[in-house]
Every structure is written in structure tokens, then in C-alpha cells.
Amino acid sequence: MFTQRLVIRTFIRPCAPIRAAIMLGILCGAATTANAGEMYFTPAVVYADDDQYRQVDDMVGGGQVSFGWVLTDRVSLEGLGGYSWLSGVNDLKIWDASLNLLYSFRPNSNFSPYIIGGLGMTGTDSKVMDAEDSALGTLGVGFMVGFGDSPVSLRLEHRVRSEFENTLTHDDRITSLGLQFAFGREAPTPTPPPIKRDGDGDGDGVPDSRDACPGTPAGTTVDARGCARDSDGDGVIDDQDQCPNTYPAASVDARGCELDSDYDSVVDHLDECPDTRVGARVDVKGCEIHAVINLPGVNFETNSDRLLPGTEQVLSDAAATLRMNKDLVVEIAGHTDSDGSATHNEGLSERRAITVRDYLINEGVNRGNLTVRGYGEAAPIADNATAAGKARNRRVELRILNQR
């Protein structure tokens, strides 16, 4: 009996003209989409067309809120709570709460009709009657219209609410209009671009779509862009570079080797004496060698043949110079100032010369090209009467004897 009354009462009363106008206007909306796992809530205003036995006036007087969870693209589970107040003899107030299932017929179209039904509780209160609570059943139809990719949809619904347990069973017709707000929606997965077949026209291992240097000669070593590799950045590709790992920013020739503009075997960026005369013998810094190679800064502990820290670079440069000029025969001459006895100073200067010789040998200089002699205080180059002069006289120098 309840089912018959519910279905008949749903359709026997025509909608008010204003409702028909609203429905006609909504049909022009944009598409709506339901995504499984999505949630939503829907605040709405209601028009209550109450049972005639309640003896109150129909009116727009109340509202409802629905909270829902999309189970599949067609089925949603939602809870509904509503409240209405109707004027008339009894000045009636009605509340209801229900748990409903909603089924959408066209969930992904621009116009999405649905049916809704469920069970719940309702309560009434008026001036002339005691408050009453009752179980209810509800069944209705509606549709939703979305606004493009917006999470907001317009929702229009008409349902019948029937009481089960009141002294007098009432059937009310509820028309609601609201906005549905979705949340928890997953962003649509972008469609991947079509797979494009790619070739390698020059056979360098880099696909044509990424090859910045098409037509590379066969066998050429290339980088990730497909261009001939130039590891040291000197402008000469690796396959033609005879001097790999050139000094950064150095000027190079067509072979990729750093320039030596004065042809003294010392490349330009290391040459402290550019434009040396052709054929001149030079040291490791590119400066011409004369009769003596000085060793400035080579100092010893007081009255000792132990080298002080800081002399290593000077001796390493001297060793490099001798290795460059393998035919040079040099005398390592040790000198002291005038402090102490002449005999003591001569022995001390010789021991210091031996220390320098051993250092040069350890740096790869041919022992057979080296001789040692201690001159003591016999060959000063400054005045021993001053501290500065004595410091200059305490020295070791390399004297060129001859060329092998």
C-alpha cells in the first residue's frame, strides 16, 4: 500500500510554473562528470507540497543539506537532513533525515537525470498537536548540470516523503533546488602523445628528433646532442685533437695543441718571458738561462743543512728546467755569510749544496750532470756588515759549466 501511494502521489500534482521555468533554463548548462571516490555536499532550498490532511499552506519555507560519496560513476550514497516550516492553522514544523542511494542514468553527459530513494526518520511539531516522530521512506527523481571542469553542479530534485508510523500517515512532496560542491576529485589523466617512430640518419646513436648535428661523419665520437665531442672545449673535436685536456681558454692550433708563440718549448699561458730570441735556452718559465740559475728563497735552518719549509716550489722548478735541458752540466754551489770560521763555513756550505743536489736527483735530474762545491764565505755578493747583506750571501745557486 505504501509503494502505491508513494508512486501515485509523486506524479499526480503538476509542478508550479516557476519550477518548470527553472528546469527549462538549466537544460542549457555544461557537462558534469562523476568520479568514483569523489565526495560532495549539496545545500538547497525546498518547496514543501505537504499532505492535505495537515491543513497548512504550501510554501518555500526551509532547506536541506546532502552529503554524498560517489561509489561508481552511476551510484552514490548520500545522507540528507532537512527542515521545513509551513504556515496555516497549525503552524507546522517538519524535520527529516535519511540515508539514500542515487542512481544516475547518464553520468557523463551534459544533462544527468537520476533517481533517488532511501529510508530515514521524520518529526513534526505544531501548536495544536504533540510532537511526533516516525520512520520514513523517500523516492524521487532529479537531474544535475555541471559547469565545465568546475566542481560545482546545479541540482534540481522532486521526491515524495512518506511516514510509516504516525497516527495519521502523511505523504509530502518536496521540490529542492541547490548547488552541489564536489571535493576529493582526482585530476584527469592526460592522454599521452602518440608514439612517434624515430630514426638515426647519421648512425651516431642519437635519434634524429634529438640530434642537433645531423649528418655527423661515420665513426665520429659525439655527445648527447649528437655533435662531435670536444672534451677540453678548445674548438678541436676529440677525433682530431692531438693534445687532449688543453688548459681551459688556451689558444690552440689546428691540432688542438696550445700555442708556443716564441718556439721556446714553453706554452704561452706558462711563459713569463714571451718573445724569447730564437734558439735561446730557457728555464721552465720560458726565460733565457745565462751563466747562473738562481734559487731565490732556498733557505736552511741556522747552522744546519736542513731546508726550511717553503723552498719546495723553487727547487721543483729548477729540476724541471734541468730536465728540459738534459745536456746541461751544472755545479751546485753553496755559500755562507762571514759569521763563524772559514773552515766551518766551507763545510756547512758544501753540506747545503749536497742537500739541494739530492733533492734535484729525487725530482728526476740526471746525477751525472750535477757536481757539488762549498765556497763558504769566499764569494760574497753583498756586504757582510749588514743583516740584509748576510742574508743575500747565504745562498745556493746552479752554475752552468758546459753542455754535453
Side-chain angles (χ1 to χ4, degrees):
M1 182 64 181
F2 162 71
T3 305
Q4 290 178 334
R5 294 180 62 194
L6 184 62
V7 174
I8 293 172
R9 293 287 184 102
T10 303
F11 299 103
I12 60 174
R13 294 196 180 183
C15 296
I18 187 172
R19 280 182 271 163
I22 292 172
M23 293 176 66
L24 182 61
I26 294 173
L27 291 177
C28 300
T32 182
T33 301
N35 300 301
E38 180 179 289
M39 304 181 72
Y40 61 85
F41 74 97
T42 310
V45 295
V46 301
Y47 177 86
D49 185 5
D50 67 295
D51 192 296
Q52 60 181 342
Y53 295 106
R54 294 188 191 276
Q55 298 182 357
V56 293
D57 295 333
D58 300 337
M59 62 181 296
V60 178
Q64 67 182 35
V65 177
S66 301
F67 292 88
W69 179 31
V70 180
L71 303 178
T72 70
D73 61 342
R74 291 182 180 272
V75 180
S76 300
L77 177 67
E78 68 175 44
L80 181 148
Y83 182 79
S84 302
W85 57 91
L86 304 174
S87 61
V89 177
N90 297 329
D91 194 16
L92 184 66
K93 298 178 178 63
I94 307 174
W95 63 266
D96 66 308
S98 60
L99 185 64
N100 308 306
L101 283 177
L102 182 151
Y103 182 86
S104 176
F105 292 97
R106 301 171 62 193
N108 297 317
S109 67
N110 68 327
F111 174 66
S112 181
Y114 64 86
I115 59 173
I116 186 170
L119 300 173
M121 293 292 295
T122 184
T124 59
D125 188 16
S126 71
K127 295 179 179 179
V128 298
M129 296 177 60
D130 294 333
E132 278 193 319
D133 298 334
S134 172
L136 67 82
T138 185
L139 181 67
V141 295
F143 63 85
M144 286 183 287
V145 177
F147 302 97
D149 294 330
S150 171
V152 181
S153 301
L154 195 62
R155 178 170 171 176
L156 181 64
E157 182 177 290
H158 182 74
R159 62 187 175 89
V160 173
R161 178 181 63 199
S162 292
E163 300 174 0
F164 289 166
E165 299 175 358
N166 274 349
T167 305
L168 294 175
T169 299
H170 298 102
D171 296 335
D172 301 317
R173 282 147 297 283
I174 307 297
T175 301
S176 60
L177 177 64
L179 291 176
Q180 182 161 299
F181 299 87
F183 55 93
R185 175 178 297 182
E186 295 183 1
T189 303
T191 303
I195 298 175
K196 182 179 179 181
R197 295 187 178 276
D198 208 350
D200 181 12
D202 54 7
D204 60 2
V206 179
D208 291 343
S209 61
R210 294 191 290 108
D211 199 334
C213 300
T216 306
T220 301
T221 304
V222 299
D223 57 20
R225 299 169 53 247
C227 297
R229 189 182 299 277
D230 176 16
S231 302
D232 56 6
D234 61 1
V236 180
I237 63 175
D238 289 357
D239 292 350
Q240 299 174 8
D241 198 335
Q242 298 181 27
C243 299
N245 303 318
T246 306
Y247 177 77
S251 299
V252 299
D253 57 22
R255 300 175 301 124
C257 298
E258 189 171 352
L259 296 179
D260 175 16
S261 301
D262 54 5
Y263 303 103
D264 60 1
S265 300
V266 179
V267 294
D268 287 355
H269 89 273
L270 297 176
D271 199 334
E272 296 183 7
C273 299
D275 303 323
T276 306
R277 64 186 180 86
V278 177
R281 190 182 299 276
V282 298
D283 60 19
V284 72
K285 297 181 180 179
C287 298
E288 187 171 353
I289 298 173
H290 299 287
V292 176
I293 300 175
N294 294 312
L295 302 176
V298 175
N299 297 311
F300 298 85
E301 294 179 2
T302 301
N303 198 29
S304 169
D305 59 359
R306 186 187 299 275
L307 286 166
L308 289 175
T311 62
E312 294 84 355
Q313 186 60 53
V314 176
L315 291 177
S316 294
D317 287 348
T321 297
L322 296 178
R323 292 196 304 269
M324 283 176 56
N325 300 273
K326 298 181 183 299
D327 58 342
L328 285 182
V329 177
V330 300
E331 176 188 85
I332 304 172
H335 301 272
T336 67
D337 58 27
S338 59
D339 291 344
S341 68
T343 301
H344 173 77
N345 286 338
E346 184 176 337
L348 176 61
S349 64
E350 183 175 352
R351 292 195 301 274
R352 288 177 173 175
I354 291 173
T355 297
V356 171
R357 181 199 64 185
D358 293 344
Y359 191 101
L360 295 176
I361 291 172
N362 288 334
E363 290 284 312
V365 178
N366 183 4
R367 176 188 290 268
N369 290 355
L370 304 176
T371 62
V372 172
R373 183 176 177 182
Y375 288 86
E377 60 187 74
I381 58 173
D383 188 355
N384 276 313
T386 65
K390 288 181 179 181
R392 291 184 61 195
N393 289 331
R394 295 192 297 269
R395 69 195 188 280
V396 175
E397 56 193 15
L398 306 181
R399 294 182 178 181
I400 309 301
L401 300 180
N402 54 47
Q403 301 178 16
R404 286 188 182 274

